[in-house]
Amino acid sequence: MSSRPPKIPFVNLSLQHQPIQPQIVAEIGKIIEQGDFILGHALAEFETAFAAASGVQYGVGVACGTDAIALGLQACDINPGDEIIVPANTFIATIIAVIQAKAIPILVDCDPETALIDLTAAETAITSKTKAIIPVHLYGQMVSPSQLLDFANRHNLIIFEDAAQAHLAEREGYRAGSIGKAAAFSFYPSKNLGCFGDGGMLITNDAELAKTMRTFRNYGALSKYLHTEIGTNSRLDNLQAAILNIKLPYLEQWNRDRNLAAQHYNTLLEPLKHKGIVPIANHSSLGHIYHIYAIQITEKSPIDRHTLQEKLAQEGIQTGIHYPVPCHLQPAYQNLGNRGDFPRAETLCEQILSLPMYPGLSNTQIEQVVKAIERSLNC
Ligand SMILES: *Cc1c(COP(=O)(O)O)cnc(C)c1O
């Protein structure tokens, strides 16, 4: 492995930060002067703005996306032993949060084309203990709201969206986070909207739920030193919120840039389909915000995923795998299932590769990536 920086990195955050850096530095200076660090003015402003942008009334900033799910589930009255349906192919944080909420994650296989949870497979996971479903809007594409609402209504389930990869994604007229009872977002730096550390938010239209969440994140305090819940300490820092306030107005444009880049990839990769290079399907057109642009290297390909990734790395093209091992095959989570239980998720984990994707990725760079893939397949 060469230690030179990649010619085309997997993500490039400095591109988006350069033009707004002076504004961010000035805002941080202001907050230092005011000493407004915890549950401050910028946080309240960002909570309102981000919830509104997502088509929802209330936002509650917390320390990270994982906490937004874990505390959010508890605020939704999920009790110990309740079963929650989750996709088998998600980032492990979805599962961690369910376990932190003392509920039981019930894994379900995914759709082979979109990699999103397969709601037909979810039918067979329903028991008398099933209380909720967590759709994960994986890679920036929403699970179909109409199908989700139909499924949840028929089984009387709470919908709690894991929208950590889907800031302002859209499908069927819904924005991510506005379908169900509540939704969780992450502002980890490399998410489509990221801060300069860890951050997260729960959004909801339910005023009571928002109020409970506000106590949970702040030592369970309804007002100072009145502890109505046990709660914890999990707040989005005011400094991080101030940075997010500055970044939020750019998000739609950044998402559009990603979608355009994905369309360019799709067009250029089309002739490689017969050679086993298949982009993960987009069923939501411009509403897909492409947190990740993933392709699948199927059995038809002359080379496997590992070889392709190595060859691209040799050409200075950095790629990722989201995710290489499904949750039920991770050492700490062996009680969630056995090999063979979720075959489509298992196959995807072995065959997917995430290509460089960020706002500012140029068409020339995309062409270079696809050319490098072509060369790898031909030798
Ligand atoms: C990033 C992510 C999370 C966790 O967010 P953190 O802020 O890192 O805690 C949860 N679910 C999914 C799908 C994610 O991508």
Side-chain angles (χ1 to χ4, degrees):
M1 279 295 230
S2 114
S3 58
R4 279 177 302 141
K7 207 170 63 186
I8 305 181
F10 180 62
V11 289
N12 182 343
L13 296 180
S14 56
L15 272 184
Q16 58 172 251
H17 290 143
Q18 249 162 23
I20 52 176
Q21 190 168 333
Q23 205 186 338
I24 290 174
V25 170
E27 191 61 28
I28 290 174
K30 224 165 77 187
I31 289 175
I32 294 173
E33 281 160 25
Q34 293 164 345
D36 187 22
F37 299 121
I38 298 290
L39 298 179
H41 189 262
L43 175 61
E45 192 184 320
F46 179 63
E47 287 174 334
T48 306
F50 186 73
S54 304
V56 168
Q57 258 182 300
Y58 308 103
V60 184
V62 292
C64 61
T66 310
D67 279 1
I69 306 172
L71 297 174
L73 289 174
Q74 292 167 69
C76 284
D77 223 9
I78 296 294
N79 293 307
D82 287 345
E83 291 181 356
I84 302 183
I85 292 176
V86 293
N89 59 321
T90 180
F91 181 50
I92 200 72
T94 317
I95 311 289
I96 293 176
V98 170
I99 294 170
Q100 273 182 9
K102 300 194 171 59
I104 301 167
I106 303 294
L107 271 51
V108 164
D109 211 351
C110 61
D111 176 281
E113 286 182 8
T114 61
L116 297 172
I117 190 167
D118 177 354
L119 292 175
T120 310
E123 296 282 349
T124 61
I126 297 281
T127 75
S128 58
K129 292 189 200 153
T130 314
K131 187 84 176 279
I133 177 168
I134 304 185
V136 178
H137 302 316
L138 196 70
Y139 303 152
Q141 171 162 226
M142 288 172 70
V143 176
S144 162
S146 58
Q147 289 175 27
L148 196 56
L149 285 163
D150 172 63
F151 177 81
N153 289 339
R154 276 189 292 108
H155 297 291
N156 195 24
L157 304 180
I158 292 169
I159 298 173
F160 189 103
E161 295 167 68
D162 180 343
Q165 302 188 358
H167 316 72
L168 305 191
E170 284 179 358
R171 190 163 178 179
E172 301 165 10
Y174 286 85
R175 282 215 154 162
S178 69
I179 309 171
K181 189 170 176 68
F185 289 85
S186 164
F187 305 114
Y188 179 81
S190 64
K191 306 284 182 179
N192 286 35
L193 181 63
C195 59
F196 294 177
D198 278 306
M201 189 180 287
L202 173 125
I203 66 172
T204 181
N205 277 320
D206 184 328
E208 267 312 299
L209 171 53
K211 193 169 148 193
T212 306
M213 194 68 184
R214 282 183 210 288
T215 66
F216 278 1
R217 72 166 172 190
N218 193 34
Y219 317 109
L222 189 61
S223 57
K224 205 162 190 182
Y225 305 131
L226 174 65
H227 302 280
T228 52
E229 308 279 351
I230 292 174
T232 186
N233 176 0
S234 176
R235 299 168 299 215
L236 178 61
D237 289 343
N238 204 49
L239 276 175
Q240 301 296 354
I243 292 160
L244 290 163
N245 272 327
I246 293 168
K247 292 181 73 171
L248 181 59
Y250 297 91
L251 179 57
E252 286 203 53
Q253 183 60 51
W254 288 336
N255 284 345
R256 254 196 306 275
D257 282 357
R258 288 174 183 266
N259 190 284
L260 285 173
Q263 288 182 47
H264 200 48
Y265 269 129
N266 285 343
T267 307
L268 297 177
L269 287 170
E270 182 65 33
L272 298 185
K273 257 190 191 146
H274 73 282
K275 286 193 170 171
I277 302 296
V278 185
I280 296 300
N282 175 4
H283 291 177
S284 45
S285 183
L286 294 172
H288 190 332
I289 62 157
Y290 286 97
H291 173 59
I292 298 287
Y293 183 87
I295 58 172
Q296 188 176 356
I297 295 96
T298 70
E299 291 83 0
K300 273 196 200 163
S301 163
I303 58 173
D304 65 8
R305 188 258 310 273
H306 176 76
T307 311
L308 178 59
Q309 186 171 37
E310 289 283 297
K311 284 180 185 280
L312 292 177
Q314 282 161 15
E315 299 212 30
I317 295 166
Q318 198 178 37
T319 55
I321 300 171
H322 302 86
Y323 297 90
V325 178
C327 301
H328 66 289
L329 301 181
Q330 291 286 355
Y333 298 90
Q334 288 177 8
N335 58 333
L336 295 182
N338 298 310
R339 188 174 292 278
D341 284 353
F342 310 105
R344 295 190 296 246
E346 290 169 25
T347 301
L348 275 178
C349 286
E350 285 165 15
Q351 298 187 340
I352 43 176
L353 188 67
S354 311
L355 301 182
M357 171 55 75
Y358 47 87
L361 180 70
S362 71
N363 281 349
T364 312
Q365 288 174 309
I366 293 168
E367 285 148 25
Q368 286 170 346
V369 173
V370 175
K371 285 252 157 57
I373 294 173
E374 277 169 351
R375 275 194 296 278
S376 308
L377 295 175
N378 289 335
C379 62

